[in-house]
Structure formats: structure tokens, C-alpha cells
Amino acid sequence: MKALDHVDQCLDSLSEQDSAKGGALITTATGKFYSNGLAIDDAMEIGDAFYQPFMNMLSRILTYRVPTVAAINGHAFAGGCMLALAHDYRVMRADRGWIAMNEVDIGIPLIPGMAAIVKSKVKSQSHLRECLLAAHRFKASDAVAAGFVDKAVEESQLINTATQYAKALAPKTRGLSPVFHLIKAEMYRDTVSMLLAGGTSPGGYIAKL
């Protein structure tokens, strides 16, 4: 959240001339991982107090006021997969890395907000089943076909391609008005509601059936 606060400060400090050009946000990492997910032991021990800040961050990225692009340089597992999915666009390195939701393999059920963000981006029921029930590790080309990723490129083109997406969309936020944020908030209203609702009891509704 501090990183997003810093980006907000940068955007707010722009001159009128610069803000008229709009803006965009690209996230990436170095090494073999884009993100390896959450600290599971802490998450299981602390519960809501651990999970809710993460859910808040996902909802903030999902509805961020400028276009967001994830440049996935390596593996994106579990929480890292959700982080990538929260972006508007995702570009993945073609020759190395998997994107996966491996909770079933490590014995951790999905809480409502986690399931919601995956379902908001992965529309194919067969791919969703492979993702959540089989913990399938999607390489870049498969991730494109499944809808996890928009484009797979060579490592040398990863940042350039992400920048192309960012430059193409940045003018949509000329003046940095709240319009882009509000449109995304309505696009993902149900998902954001689930993310912000709190609670770490998966399947809680089952008792009502």
C-alpha cells in the first residue's frame, strides 16, 4: 500500500501540463519471480488482520485511477497470481515462468475475495477449473489462451511491450480525473465488494443451503 501511496503522491505532484498527458502504472520484479505470493504461516496464524490489507490492495489496484500493466518477469503463484490479475493488462515473459493458483496443493482454501478476483478475470469455466481445482501451472503461451495474460513476449521485449500498453492507454486519463477509476469500480463492483467485505471463512454460505 505504501508503494501505491507513493505513486499517488507522484501523480498528485504533476504539473497541469504533465497531468494533461494522463498516466499509467507498470509493475514488475527482478529474478525468477514476479511474486511468490503471501507468507502463508503468518496468514494462517493472524487471519483477517493479515488478509484484509492484501484484499484492500487488490481492490485498489483493480480500480486504480490510471491504467495498470503487470510485466510478469517470472513465476506468479497464489497471491502473486492475484496481484497480476488485478492489473488491467498483463504481459508475461514467454521463455520462463508459470502463473498459478496453487492453494489446493498447499492445503489452503480460498477466501471469498481471493476467489472473486480470479473469477473476475478468468471467464472460461474449464480454465477456471484447471486453475483452482487442479492448481495447473500455466506457462506464458497457455496463460494467454486461458485469459490470464494478454501477451507473451521474449524477456528482452517485456518492459517495452508493457510500456506500449501503458502509452496507448495513458491518454484516456488526461487531467487525471476520477473517471477511469469510477469506470473500473463499476466494471468490478461485485469483485470489489467481496474484497472489501472482510472475512476469512471460505464456504461460509454453505451452512445456509
Side-chain angles (χ1 to χ4, degrees), residues 47-49 51-53 55-56 111-114 191-202:
D48 273 4
Y51 279 114
Q52 199 53 54
M55 298 294 105
N56 293 345
I111 64 176
M114 291 179 172
T191 302
V192 172
S193 295
M194 293 293 285
L195 287 167
L196 297 182
T200 56
S201 298

mmCIF file of all heavy atoms in Angstrom, residues 47-49 51-53 55-56 111-114 191-202:
data_model
loop_
_atom_site.group_PDB
_atom_site.id
_atom_site.type_symbol
_atom_site.label_atom_id
_atom_site.label_comp_id
_atom_site.label_asym_id
_atom_site.label_seq_id
_atom_site.Cartn_x
_atom_site.Cartn_y
_atom_site.Cartn_z
ATOM 1 N N GLY A 47 -4.876 -14.333 10.349
ATOM 2 C CA GLY A 47 -6.243 -14.271 9.834
ATOM 3 C C GLY A 47 -6.601 -12.931 9.217
ATOM 4 O O GLY A 47 -5.837 -12.369 8.421
ATOM 5 N N ASP A 48 -7.753 -12.393 9.591
ATOM 6 C CA ASP A 48 -8.276 -11.172 8.977
ATOM 7 C C ASP A 48 -7.271 -10.026 8.984
ATOM 8 O O ASP A 48 -7.158 -9.279 8.005
ATOM 9 C CB ASP A 48 -9.544 -10.712 9.691
ATOM 10 C CG ASP A 48 -10.787 -11.377 9.131
ATOM 11 O OD1 ASP A 48 -10.649 -12.248 8.248
ATOM 12 O OD2 ASP A 48 -11.902 -11.034 9.578
ATOM 13 N N ALA A 49 -6.575 -9.849 10.087
ATOM 14 C CA ALA A 49 -5.646 -8.732 10.225
ATOM 15 C C ALA A 49 -4.510 -8.828 9.208
ATOM 16 O O ALA A 49 -3.896 -7.810 8.864
ATOM 17 C CB ALA A 49 -5.078 -8.684 11.640
ATOM 18 N N TYR A 51 -4.968 -10.794 6.107
ATOM 19 C CA TYR A 51 -5.568 -10.873 4.780
ATOM 20 C C TYR A 51 -6.185 -9.556 4.310
ATOM 21 O O TYR A 51 -6.110 -9.218 3.127
ATOM 22 C CB TYR A 51 -6.650 -11.949 4.744
ATOM 23 C CG TYR A 51 -6.137 -13.354 4.562
ATOM 24 C CD1 TYR A 51 -6.270 -14.299 5.577
ATOM 25 C CD2 TYR A 51 -5.527 -13.749 3.378
ATOM 26 C CE1 TYR A 51 -5.806 -15.600 5.412
ATOM 27 C CE2 TYR A 51 -5.063 -15.045 3.203
ATOM 28 C CZ TYR A 51 -5.205 -15.963 4.223
ATOM 29 O OH TYR A 51 -4.742 -17.243 4.054
ATOM 30 N N GLN A 52 -6.839 -8.814 5.209
ATOM 31 C CA GLN A 52 -7.609 -7.668 4.746
ATOM 32 C C GLN A 52 -6.762 -6.579 4.098
ATOM 33 O O GLN A 52 -7.175 -6.007 3.084
ATOM 34 C CB GLN A 52 -8.456 -7.080 5.876
ATOM 35 C CG GLN A 52 -9.608 -6.208 5.354
ATOM 36 C CD GLN A 52 -10.466 -6.946 4.324
ATOM 37 O OE1 GLN A 52 -10.956 -8.034 4.573
ATOM 38 N NE2 GLN A 52 -10.641 -6.350 3.144
ATOM 39 N N PRO A 53 -5.570 -6.258 4.614
ATOM 40 C CA PRO A 53 -4.738 -5.301 3.878
ATOM 41 C C PRO A 53 -4.407 -5.760 2.459
ATOM 42 O O PRO A 53 -4.331 -4.942 1.538
ATOM 43 C CB PRO A 53 -3.476 -5.192 4.752
ATOM 44 C CG PRO A 53 -3.952 -5.521 6.123
ATOM 45 C CD PRO A 53 -4.982 -6.593 5.927
ATOM 46 N N MET A 55 -6.361 -7.754 0.610
ATOM 47 C CA MET A 55 -7.599 -7.588 -0.149
ATOM 48 C C MET A 55 -7.813 -6.111 -0.521
ATOM 49 O O MET A 55 -8.245 -5.789 -1.637
ATOM 50 C CB MET A 55 -8.804 -8.083 0.672
ATOM 51 C CG MET A 55 -8.797 -9.556 1.043
ATOM 52 S SD MET A 55 -8.936 -10.692 -0.361
ATOM 53 C CE MET A 55 -7.246 -11.263 -0.461
ATOM 54 N N ASN A 56 -7.506 -5.220 0.421
ATOM 55 C CA ASN A 56 -7.635 -3.787 0.150
ATOM 56 C C ASN A 56 -6.706 -3.358 -0.978
ATOM 57 O O ASN A 56 -7.079 -2.549 -1.842
ATOM 58 C CB ASN A 56 -7.323 -2.977 1.410
ATOM 59 C CG ASN A 56 -8.345 -3.175 2.513
ATOM 60 O OD1 ASN A 56 -9.431 -3.691 2.278
ATOM 61 N ND2 ASN A 56 -7.994 -2.776 3.720
ATOM 62 N N ILE A 111 -10.366 -17.765 0.336
ATOM 63 C CA ILE A 111 -11.370 -16.933 0.989
ATOM 64 C C ILE A 111 -12.152 -16.192 -0.103
ATOM 65 O O ILE A 111 -11.707 -16.115 -1.250
ATOM 66 C CB ILE A 111 -10.733 -15.975 2.003
ATOM 67 C CG1 ILE A 111 -9.799 -14.972 1.316
ATOM 68 C CG2 ILE A 111 -9.984 -16.758 3.079
ATOM 69 C CD1 ILE A 111 -9.234 -13.939 2.283
ATOM 70 N N PRO A 112 -13.339 -15.665 0.219
ATOM 71 C CA PRO A 112 -14.220 -15.113 -0.825
ATOM 72 C C PRO A 112 -13.566 -14.090 -1.742
ATOM 73 O O PRO A 112 -13.752 -14.134 -2.961
ATOM 74 C CB PRO A 112 -15.356 -14.499 0.001
ATOM 75 C CG PRO A 112 -15.431 -15.348 1.220
ATOM 76 C CD PRO A 112 -13.996 -15.684 1.540
ATOM 77 N N GLY A 113 -12.803 -13.145 -1.187
ATOM 78 C CA GLY A 113 -12.194 -12.120 -2.028
ATOM 79 C C GLY A 113 -11.202 -12.685 -3.019
ATOM 80 O O GLY A 113 -11.106 -12.222 -4.160
ATOM 81 N N MET A 114 -10.464 -13.712 -2.595
ATOM 82 C CA MET A 114 -9.491 -14.342 -3.498
ATOM 83 C C MET A 114 -10.180 -15.009 -4.673
ATOM 84 O O MET A 114 -9.769 -14.850 -5.826
ATOM 85 C CB MET A 114 -8.675 -15.383 -2.722
ATOM 86 C CG MET A 114 -7.727 -14.828 -1.693
ATOM 87 S SD MET A 114 -6.862 -16.172 -0.844
ATOM 88 C CE MET A 114 -5.650 -15.250 0.105
ATOM 89 N N THR A 191 -16.785 -7.780 -7.496
ATOM 90 C CA THR A 191 -15.487 -8.255 -7.020
ATOM 91 C C THR A 191 -14.955 -7.371 -5.906
ATOM 92 O O THR A 191 -14.468 -7.860 -4.877
ATOM 93 C CB THR A 191 -14.478 -8.300 -8.176
ATOM 94 O OG1 THR A 191 -14.981 -9.153 -9.200
ATOM 95 C CG2 THR A 191 -13.127 -8.812 -7.719
ATOM 96 N N VAL A 192 -15.020 -6.063 -6.095
ATOM 97 C CA VAL A 192 -14.539 -5.136 -5.072
ATOM 98 C C VAL A 192 -15.335 -5.298 -3.787
ATOM 99 O O VAL A 192 -14.767 -5.272 -2.684
ATOM 100 C CB VAL A 192 -14.604 -3.681 -5.589
ATOM 101 C CG1 VAL A 192 -14.287 -2.694 -4.466
ATOM 102 C CG2 VAL A 192 -13.636 -3.484 -6.746
ATOM 103 N N SER A 193 -16.638 -5.489 -3.906
ATOM 104 C CA SER A 193 -17.466 -5.690 -2.712
ATOM 105 C C SER A 193 -17.003 -6.914 -1.931
ATOM 106 O O SER A 193 -16.946 -6.887 -0.692
ATOM 107 C CB SER A 193 -18.938 -5.849 -3.108
ATOM 108 O OG SER A 193 -19.436 -4.659 -3.678
ATOM 109 N N MET A 194 -16.660 -7.980 -2.642
ATOM 110 C CA MET A 194 -16.181 -9.187 -1.980
ATOM 111 C C MET A 194 -14.814 -8.956 -1.344
ATOM 112 O O MET A 194 -14.537 -9.419 -0.231
ATOM 113 C CB MET A 194 -16.093 -10.338 -2.976
ATOM 114 C CG MET A 194 -17.435 -10.804 -3.499
ATOM 115 S SD MET A 194 -18.444 -11.583 -2.221
ATOM 116 C CE MET A 194 -17.623 -13.153 -2.060
ATOM 117 N N LEU A 195 -13.954 -8.224 -2.030
ATOM 118 C CA LEU A 195 -12.619 -7.959 -1.496
ATOM 119 C C LEU A 195 -12.667 -7.120 -0.232
ATOM 120 O O LEU A 195 -11.902 -7.344 0.712
ATOM 121 C CB LEU A 195 -11.763 -7.240 -2.555
ATOM 122 C CG LEU A 195 -11.274 -8.080 -3.732
ATOM 123 C CD1 LEU A 195 -10.730 -7.184 -4.831
ATOM 124 C CD2 LEU A 195 -10.201 -9.066 -3.283
ATOM 125 N N LEU A 196 -13.578 -6.165 -0.195
ATOM 126 C CA LEU A 196 -13.645 -5.237 0.937
ATOM 127 C C LEU A 196 -14.540 -5.726 2.066
ATOM 128 O O LEU A 196 -14.555 -5.128 3.146
ATOM 129 C CB LEU A 196 -14.134 -3.863 0.449
ATOM 130 C CG LEU A 196 -13.232 -3.147 -0.563
ATOM 131 C CD1 LEU A 196 -13.822 -1.797 -0.922
ATOM 132 C CD2 LEU A 196 -11.819 -2.984 -0.022
ATOM 133 N N ALA A 197 -15.271 -6.804 1.832
ATOM 134 C CA ALA A 197 -16.232 -7.281 2.829
ATOM 135 C C ALA A 197 -15.558 -7.881 4.053
ATOM 136 O O ALA A 197 -16.150 -7.949 5.134
ATOM 137 C CB ALA A 197 -17.176 -8.308 2.207
ATOM 138 N N GLY A 198 -14.308 -8.308 3.898
ATOM 139 C CA GLY A 198 -13.615 -8.945 5.017
ATOM 140 C C GLY A 198 -14.066 -10.386 5.180
ATOM 141 O O GLY A 198 -14.907 -10.896 4.454
ATOM 142 N N GLY A 199 -13.506 -11.035 6.150
ATOM 143 C CA GLY A 199 -13.879 -12.416 6.423
ATOM 144 C C GLY A 199 -12.932 -13.397 5.774
ATOM 145 O O GLY A 199 -12.578 -13.252 4.615
ATOM 146 N N THR A 200 -12.535 -14.386 6.538
ATOM 147 C CA THR A 200 -11.624 -15.411 6.033
ATOM 148 C C THR A 200 -12.227 -16.795 6.193
ATOM 149 O O THR A 200 -11.516 -17.767 6.414
ATOM 150 C CB THR A 200 -10.276 -15.340 6.772
ATOM 151 O OG1 THR A 200 -10.500 -15.455 8.190
ATOM 152 C CG2 THR A 200 -9.552 -14.034 6.486
ATOM 153 N N SER A 201 -13.555 -16.872 6.100
ATOM 154 C CA SER A 201 -14.239 -18.165 6.248
ATOM 155 C C SER A 201 -14.737 -18.639 4.896
ATOM 156 O O SER A 201 -15.841 -18.281 4.475
ATOM 157 C CB SER A 201 -15.415 -18.044 7.220
ATOM 158 O OG SER A 201 -14.962 -17.679 8.509
ATOM 159 N N PRO A 202 -13.937 -19.417 4.188
ATOM 160 C CA PRO A 202 -14.366 -19.907 2.871
ATOM 161 C C PRO A 202 -15.570 -20.834 3.010
ATOM 162 O O PRO A 202 -15.665 -21.620 3.957
ATOM 163 C CB PRO A 202 -13.142 -20.672 2.354
ATOM 164 C CG PRO A 202 -12.390 -21.030 3.583
ATOM 165 C CD PRO A 202 -12.614 -19.924 4.556
#
